Amino acid sequence: MRKLFIAAGLLCSSVFAMAQSATDNGSAYNPHDFFLQGFNPPAGNAYRSANGSPGPQYWQNSASYTIHATLSEKDTSVTGDVLIQYTNNSPDKLDYVWLQLDQNLFNAASRGTAATPTSGDVVGILGVDKGGYNIADVSVTYGGKTYKVQPVISDTRMQVRLNSSLLPKGDKVSIKINYRFNIPAYGADRMGRVYTKNGIVYTIAQWYPRMCVYDDVEGWNTLPYMGLGEFYCEYGNFDYYITAPAGMIVYGSGDLQNAAQVLTPTEIQRLAKAATSDKTVAIIEPGEVGKPNMRPTNSGNLTWHFTMKNTRDVAWAASTALVWDAARVNVPSGRKVMAMSAYPVESIGDTAWSRATEYLKYSMEIYSKNFFEYPWNVAVDMGCNITGMEYPGMIFNDYLEKKAALWFVIAHEIGHNWYPMVVGNNERKYMWQDEGFNSYINYYANDIFNNGEYAHDPALFSKRHFAWLDQTELPKLKDPMMTVSEAMDYGQHYQYYSKTAVGLKLLRDVVIGKERFDYAFRKYTETWAYKHPTPYDFFHAINSAAGEDLNWFWKEWFFTTWTFDQAIADVQYVDNDASKGALITIVNKGRMILPAIVQVTESNGKTSTITLPVEVWQRGGTWTFKYASASKIDKVVLDPEHVLPDVERGNDVWGKK
């Protein structure tokens, strides 16, 4: 026994010496990039625990809204008033509050206008006639007293200075604002209007002044809205009323409260049928679009009343021109949930929008089962001129999209109801934390939907696809993913989607394993539902729940543009005798590290795959391990399934071609 121990010790010593003395063959890898105590997420505190969950004193403020708005077709405008009930749960007194005025992006003097590239206005920021908010007046009610204020408006932000400080830990204030804005035709690819043969489709979002987030990380979050970086919002309840021409159907986030006043008995009856049907049920059929008998009245205006609880935003759409259908969504708790789609007759077709409700229903069911149950009662998919945009309970998608691309964009946009609508990260700073997570669950659903109907569809794996899972693009990236959304190279912001999704798949499939990663990712989602996680909360949460110190991965994947290149350096037999085993030497030539997946094929026909953990790279960029061969080795291949983002495949094979 002791002789075996000594022999094993000598072999380990010789292998270690080989690893230490071997050159790095021009490798850019330096273990000090990972294994010094230089990179760690921030330490836990009373507000955010080191295990990635909210701390014992975590707080967040809340904002609830009562909104009245009127759609005017005469001048394509929205006029309204909003009453905001704001609660200060922070430990700080607040002498002022900040609000977001997102419509001001379309003002000719906005920062977003100034920063639009000369190469082209690809998302529709420029040229809105008299764009931006017209704020008529602002009043504050505090302690039973109401007074008017002169707001300080700076670009897409508005400061309201209070006569009395809003006290910590639960003090409340009400703010009322009267406003108006012109509806952009193509508002930054987030809202707008499209002219179809049966009428205009209005999709309305960023349509009321709303509170900026005040949090324990940065205080007031007042980064301007410039078009690319999205939103960061407080949670609360919404009670809103939309007045529109009587011939229109209004589709809104949340629950319609006055169906008997704004729908016909036939439509109400069909909705009741759809609520119990797994098959799509027509609410307004193609031949009924725009018909007078599909409206309770055809003169004047009607006011639609919607409510939505515990949400960070709402959006709506209105038109006379849409087919409307719906179906039941089956969620784990058994609650009544419905999926709806509304789209122009130009979109009809079995390879097009006639399957939209099916796509919406099944993606919601997949996400509800595997990540977190869809929390609201209705989800609506609008066919319009927006390529893809998400709001709680409401998504806008390209009405001309078809086949796999249509499935994927519907599943993607409704997926945002999980990230960031339930898990409310700061999109304006960390786009990857919602776009990337959502792209990851998007491909997860893609593998499952209809037994993988679109799992391998070329349309989803082409360079033109917005969330293309392409590893060969990594060497071309200019900016780390922790770059603030608006500062990312404009032509490469797709990496927020694709690089994040690839990274999460690597953690799940290679580094951690499916069961442990799925548990950790779901725990993160559950823990931060309706809260405001930072990237570091996510890093802590996965480290803790998966039981891995993954700081090396967080550093390389999100904070750098390093690339990955493993190579086979040498294969030798112990004592020149293949039956005694082989010493296989691999090299980490790039600066990024990942486990090594080594496939060995022997001349006797045996094939084995060995996975070496990242710890083999702790002491240097070269590693030698013993493989228990019984015959000569014909071939050694690194990463035979190409699951790792290796930028040079030519050095991954040793032996027979």
Side-chain angles (χ1 to χ4, degrees):
M1 187 72 178
R2 180 161 179 78
K3 288 182 179 179
L4 284 172
F5 176 80
I6 293 173
L10 289 172
L11 177 60
C12 288
S13 297
S14 65
V15 171
F16 177 74
M18 290 174 64
Q20 292 296 92
S21 62
T23 67
D24 283 346
N25 297 324
S27 171
Y29 171 67
N30 182 348
H32 292 169
D33 286 336
F34 298 97
F35 300 109
L36 287 179
Q37 292 301 317
F39 176 82
N40 280 297
N45 56 45
Y47 304 130
R48 295 170 188 269
S49 295
N51 69 359
S53 64
Q57 296 179 36
Y58 176 82
W59 58 267
Q60 70 188 48
N61 293 346
S62 67
S64 291
Y65 299 81
T66 301
I67 314 171
H68 300 83
T70 298
L71 169 65
S72 171
E73 284 204 287
K74 181 178 179 180
D75 58 3
T76 58
S77 69
V78 170
T79 302
D81 61 75
V82 56
L83 177 65
I84 306 171
Q85 305 284 348
Y86 185 66
T87 304
N88 177 26
N89 294 313
S90 81
D92 309 319
K93 71 173 186 176
L94 303 178
D95 296 325
Y96 52 83
V97 297
W98 282 98
L99 292 90
Q100 303 179 51
L101 301 181
D102 303 309
Q103 283 294 325
N104 281 0
L105 171 67
F106 306 109
N107 187 301
S110 74
R111 295 189 191 187
T113 295
T116 298
T118 57
S119 57
D121 179 21
V122 296
V123 296
I125 293 174
L126 308 180
V128 179
D129 184 34
K130 298 179 181 178
Y133 277 119
N134 179 356
I135 302 296
D137 57 74
V138 179
S139 61
V140 172
T141 300
Y142 179 74
K145 297 180 179 180
T146 299
Y147 58 91
K148 287 193 174 184
V149 299
Q150 184 61 45
V152 178
I153 297 177
S154 175
D155 195 52
T156 59
R157 294 78 46 88
M158 180 171 76
Q159 186 185 56
V160 174
R161 296 171 182 171
L162 306 174
N163 288 354
S164 302
S165 297
L166 191 58
L167 300 178
K169 299 183 178 180
D171 203 6
K172 300 177 184 295
V173 67
S174 296
I175 303 168
K176 187 173 183 179
I177 305 164
N178 294 302
Y179 64 92
R180 179 189 176 281
F181 65 90
N182 293 332
I183 303 168
Y186 184 55
D189 200 31
R190 307 201 187 283
M191 60 170 294
R193 59 186 195 270
V194 61
Y195 294 79
T196 74
K197 66 182 181 182
N198 287 322
I200 305 170
V201 181
Y202 296 91
T203 47
I204 310 298
Q206 290 83 64
W207 59 286
Y208 58 94
R210 55 188 180 181
M211 298 301 301
C212 293
V213 171
Y214 184 80
D215 63 23
D216 61 290
V217 179
E218 300 203 20
W220 285 108
N221 286 260
T222 57
L223 274 179
Y225 175 45
M226 297 178 67
L228 183 60
E230 293 185 352
F231 310 107
Y232 188 31
C233 305
E234 296 286 15
Y235 289 91
N237 299 327
F238 284 75
D239 190 7
Y240 68 102
Y241 301 78
I242 306 300
T243 299
M248 289 186 170
I249 303 288
V250 175
Y251 308 85
S253 298
D255 301 314
L256 178 63
Q257 298 298 308
N258 62 336
Q261 285 73 50
V262 296
L263 297 176
T264 66
T266 297
E267 291 161 346
I268 294 172
Q269 182 182 22
R270 291 173 179 177
L271 282 168
K273 179 180 178 181
T276 63
S277 174
D278 286 319
K279 299 292 185 181
T280 299
V281 174
I283 313 303
I284 295 179
E285 297 179 355
E288 298 171 331
V289 170
K291 300 297 184 184
N293 66 327
M294 299 309 293
R295 305 300 305 118
T297 179
N298 287 276
S299 62
N301 292 327
L302 288 175
T303 297
W304 301 64
H305 179 200
F306 296 89
T307 61
M308 195 173 192
K309 294 184 177 180
N310 202 17
T311 181
R312 47 177 264 169
D313 195 11
V314 289
W316 54 278
S319 184
T320 61
L322 302 179
V323 177
W324 180 14
D325 53 42
R328 172 178 64 188
V329 178
N330 300 297
V331 297
S333 70
R335 287 187 305 112
K336 292 183 178 180
V337 179
M338 288 184 67
M340 301 181 184
S341 296
Y343 46 92
V345 295
E346 292 93 321
S347 306
I348 294 170
D350 290 340
T351 62
W353 276 76
S354 297
R355 293 188 69 186
T357 292
E358 175 195 354
Y359 295 160
L360 182 62
K361 164 188 165 64
Y362 284 108
S363 55
M364 292 172 67
E365 290 178 352
I366 292 168
Y367 299 148
S368 292
K369 178 181 177 181
N370 293 285
F371 301 105
F372 190 85
E373 183 171 307
Y374 182 78
W376 301 295
N377 301 322
V378 180
V380 185
D381 178 22
M382 294 301 305
C384 56
N385 64 331
I386 308 305
T387 60
M389 186 58 199
E390 71 282 354
Y391 302 95
M394 172 73 67
I395 59 176
F396 302 156
N397 288 310
D398 184 354
Y399 76 107
L400 298 176
E401 200 64 89
K402 296 180 179 180
K403 299 181 181 179
L406 178 61
W407 144 256
F408 196 92
V409 75
I410 290 174
H412 182 85
E413 302 309 337
I414 197 59
H416 276 304
N417 275 248
W418 281 257
Y419 313 95
M421 304 310 170
V422 169
V423 182
N425 64 281
N426 185 343
E427 300 175 86
R428 197 153 294 174
K429 274 203 163 183
Y430 309 111
M431 188 184 291
W432 61 266
Q433 203 174 354
D434 52 282
E435 294 294 357
F437 289 8
N438 190 35
S439 297
Y440 166 73
I441 69 170
N442 216 163
Y443 279 101
Y444 187 104
N446 199 49
D447 289 339
I448 297 172
F449 171 67
N450 203 19
N451 297 315
E453 178 179 353
Y454 297 123
H456 305 289
D457 195 289
L460 306 182
F461 298 91
S462 74
K463 291 185 178 181
R464 298 183 63 188
H465 190 251
F466 67 89
W468 181 33
L469 298 183
D470 177 46
Q471 303 169 353
T472 65
E473 292 293 298
L474 292 181
K476 303 175 185 178
L477 298 180
K478 300 176 182 178
D479 302 316
M481 283 205 293
M482 287 295 282
T483 302
V484 174
S485 303
E486 291 295 345
M488 174 65 69
D489 181 270
Y490 200 83
Q492 295 192 345
H493 84 281
Y494 61 82
Q495 70 162 303
Y496 287 133
Y497 301 74
S498 57
K499 186 177 178 182
T500 308
V502 169
L504 297 182
K505 282 176 62 64
L506 283 171
L507 290 177
R508 184 177 192 258
D509 297 342
V510 179
V511 178
I512 299 174
K514 290 181 172 61
E515 194 279 331
R516 289 165 61 207
F517 180 79
D518 288 351
Y519 174 79
F521 194 74
R522 185 174 182 115
K523 288 296 291 183
Y524 162 77
T525 303
E526 294 171 350
T527 299
W528 287 99
Y530 314 109
K531 297 181 178 67
H532 296 314
T534 69
Y536 302 100
D537 294 318
F538 172 69
F539 300 155
H540 278 306
I542 301 300
N543 284 0
S544 295
E548 292 285 344
D549 184 344
L550 296 166
N551 290 351
W552 58 271
F553 183 82
W554 310 132
K555 176 179 180 178
E556 69 182 10
W557 205 258
F558 294 98
F559 290 81
T560 79
T561 58
W562 295 346
T563 56
F564 175 77
D565 180 18
Q566 289 180 353
I568 299 172
D570 192 23
V571 177
Q572 297 183 11
Y573 301 115
V574 176
D575 297 334
N576 290 319
D577 185 349
S579 65
K580 294 183 178 180
L583 299 176
I584 300 173
T585 301
I586 58 176
V587 179
N588 200 83
K589 298 176 73 67
R591 291 192 70 180
M592 182 184 289
I593 59 171
L594 284 166
I597 304 171
V598 188
Q599 184 185 77
V600 181
T601 302
E602 299 182 48
S603 59
N604 62 8
K606 177 184 176 184
T607 298
S608 302
T609 301
I610 303 96
T611 299
L612 301 171
V614 293
E615 283 78 7
V616 301
W617 308 119
Q618 287 182 129
R619 298 177 179 86
T622 302
W623 185 253
T624 300
F625 68 98
K626 184 180 180 182
Y627 172 76
S629 59
S631 62
K632 287 186 176 182
I633 294 174
D634 283 348
K635 195 174 187 179
V636 180
V637 181
L638 285 172
D639 186 25
E641 301 297 326
H642 290 191
V643 297
L644 304 178
D646 200 309
V647 298
E648 176 51 70
R649 295 288 178 186
N651 55 24
D652 291 354
V653 179
W654 177 93
K656 293 181 179 179
K657 297 294 184 182

